[in-house]
Amino acid sequence: MSADYLIKKRSNTLKVLLGLGFLSLAAAFITQYDPVTGLISGLDAMRWVAANFYPNEQSLTRLPSIMNRLRETVLMSIAATTVAAFSATFFALLGAQTTKVNDALRLMSRSTAAFLRNIPAVAWAMILLFTFGQSSLTGFLALFFSTFGFLSRVFMETFDETTASSIEALTATGASYMQIIFQAVLPASLPQMISWMLYMVETNIRDATLLGILTGTGIGFSFALFYKSMNYHAASLVVIVIVVTILVIEYISNHIRRVIL
Amino acid sequence: MSLLTVKGVSKHYNERIVALSDVSFAIEPGEFVVIIGSSGAGKSTLLRCINRIVEVTSGVVTFDGLDVGSLDKRELRKMRTKVGMIFQHYNLVNRLCVLENVLHGRLGYKSTWAGALGIYSEEEKAQALRVLRLVGLEEQVYQRCDQLSGGQKQRVGIARALLQDPKLLLCDEPISSLDPNASKVIMDYLKKINTELGITCLVNLHQVHIALAYAERIIGVKRGRVVYDGLTEHLTAETIHDIYGSEAGDLLLGSGGNHVG
Ligand SMILES: Nc1ncnc2c1ncn2[C@@H]1O[C@H](COP(=O)(O)OP(=O)(O)O)[C@@H](O)[C@H]1O
Ligand SMILES: [Mg+2]
């Protein structure tokens, strides 16, 4: 019986692998992608990067304006994440099994979060461009919606995982709903919540860079501008600044995580 | 007048799971009663029906002259402040310190916002420190609960319940996660609380030898029904066999978890 099960499981794995292999062959055929040409053009690209894509002395004079744009992007990511985290906390309390107020609100909150989460930030930006045009508001709202959906979901899971037993204990003492939320649920979940927020700040700085190309704001706009005017040295400086920023942010958030967890 | 009466209480979790059927008994002020039964017998459900963490399907629970089933939200919270509860897994907010956890015992008496924000009077803090001295934790007042041993955590649980100034203490397998030494310490504290503070205790135990050592009166539960209710010294080996089924031999002869295999 259990041997049968294992054989069945293994043959299933094999089927999935064969299926995936077939899919990638079919995709390569349909798009007429030739892996050899792909590899060669990759090498060509590397050669071009080495020849043109590095900052020179003149491009350094652009640094102050690039840093200004960078600040815009970073601040927008942090603002969108923070506002989204506050709203998500509220929704997640309504949506988690252990902290729900009633089933109707729970369903409402879960489906809203699921809907928002499944639309990526870039798609949000495209939709919002129609309403708000190329502005930081478009970028901010795009980040806000996708972050809000994601954080609602993970906060719900955090509440359900970490707090059922202490909620029961506080209920038994005669504590009210608000008291239980503030005295048990939030204190127990806060480190995890902050950790998820930091993760979203990192993700959002990456996304905001791409969104900036679309919305004409922030560091993404700087890159698009230099790139289109064929100022590759300045464009490469932008890329370096972005990479360094992401590394620094990741270092800081890892440090914060170590302290709070 | 009895402090607690349970009359014809049944609990069906769904069509198939009948956790309690037609359970009746009464507890007098000052009694120390142990409920024994194998796991799944319905002991935990029974205790939770008393403070309405679980709603009964039918039957009446009367506590201190109040019909528990008919209380509205506010009255229920007020009633719960008079019933302390102690759990197998302690159910503390592990990231908070000992004092904060103990003060949770006052939440039912406080206004919603004072409680939610954790604003306690000097009198309440002094009372918390008194109770912590009583259970021998005066050294650990500001320690975080996740740094405590199992036995210490359970004493925090007891202190939290005592801070409610309860008339009845419901203990759901208070020693099932503890080693024999810590178990004895906890049972001795419960006994002391019963005799010196005059607080009525209703204790669920899986281990029959400990029930025999501490209880004045034993209630035996089997598959959701009360099959024995009487003085400890009148409990016969046959009845214990009936309550525990095939497990009984080990529990009686080897005095349960104490013998090392
Ligand atoms: N929340 C629940 N939902 C469904 N069934 C439950 C629930 N809690 C307990 N039960 C069932 O009710 C019965 C009694 O459980 P319980 O009161 O926990 O027994 P004990 O504490 O004596 O081990 C068991 O069959 C258990 O599976
Ligand atoms: Mg139980």
Side-chain angles (χ1 to χ4, degrees), chain B residues 43-44 172-173:
Chain B
K43 305 182 297 296
S44 298
D172 191 14
E173 309 228 11

Side-chain angles (χ1 to χ4, degrees), chain B residues 11-182:
Chain B
K11 173 64 189 178
H12 301 217
Y13 280 109
N14 55 44
E15 304 83 54
R16 275 172 297 112
I17 303 176
V18 180
L20 296 174
S21 37
D22 195 22
V23 170
S24 298
F25 59 84
I27 306 284
E28 304 307 317
E31 274 193 296
F32 191 98
V33 180
V34 171
I35 301 176
I36 58 171
S38 50
S39 51
K43 305 182 297 296
S44 298
T45 304
L46 178 52
L47 284 200
R48 282 165 179 72
C49 285
I50 293 170
N51 59 2
R52 252 176 82 185
I53 290 196
V54 167
E55 297 283 349
V56 299
T57 308
S58 61
V60 179
V61 175
T62 315
F63 172 76
D64 207 17
L66 297 170
D67 174 1
V68 175
S70 71
L71 302 178
D72 66 24
K73 244 177 160 171
R74 235 190 132 79
E75 295 165 329
L76 179 62
R77 283 184 56 199
K78 191 152 174 265
M79 173 262 170
R80 281 175 175 160
T81 60
K82 289 296 164 197
V83 182
M85 194 159 192
I86 291 163
F87 304 86
Q88 176 179 353
H89 300 293
Y90 330 120
N91 296 18
L92 306 175
V93 183
N94 276 319
R95 300 190 57 87
L96 297 181
C97 75
V98 169
L99 181 64
E100 288 170 300
N101 270 285
V102 173
L103 283 167
H104 285 165
R106 298 307 299 172
L107 288 175
Y109 291 99
K110 300 179 74 70
S111 80
T112 289
W113 287 107
L117 301 175
I119 301 166
Y120 299 97
S121 69
E122 289 307 313
E123 166 55 28
E124 283 170 322
K125 286 179 207 161
Q127 196 186 348
L129 293 175
R130 257 199 316 279
V131 171
L132 279 171
R133 251 193 311 280
L134 189 79
V135 296
L137 285 176
E138 59 269 42
E139 307 274 298
Q140 279 81 18
V141 175
Y142 297 107
Q143 208 157 321
R144 258 171 60 160
C145 285
D146 47 15
Q147 295 167 348
L148 301 178
S149 71
Q152 289 173 323
K153 284 184 185 171
Q154 194 56 290
R155 282 187 272 157
V156 176
I158 293 175
R160 174 175 66 190
L162 286 182
L163 211 65
Q164 290 176 233
D165 194 11
K167 292 186 175 170
L168 173 66
L169 216 49
L170 304 173
C171 311
D172 191 14
E173 309 228 11
I175 56 170
S176 290
S177 308
L178 300 177
D179 63 63
N181 287 331

Side-chain angles (χ1 to χ4, degrees), chain A residues 195-233:
Chain A
S195 179
W196 280 117
M197 268 177 74
L198 292 170
Y199 167 80
M200 276 322 283
V201 168
E202 287 170 38
T203 312
N204 280 344
I205 287 177
R206 280 164 237 229
D207 283 357
T209 307
L210 287 177
L211 288 180
I213 300 178
L214 217 58
T215 61
T217 52
I219 190 103
F221 176 67
S222 295
F223 180 81
L225 193 68
F226 294 135
Y227 189 79
K228 277 182 201 144
S229 59
M230 293 193 283
N231 186 349
Y232 298 125
H233 297 296

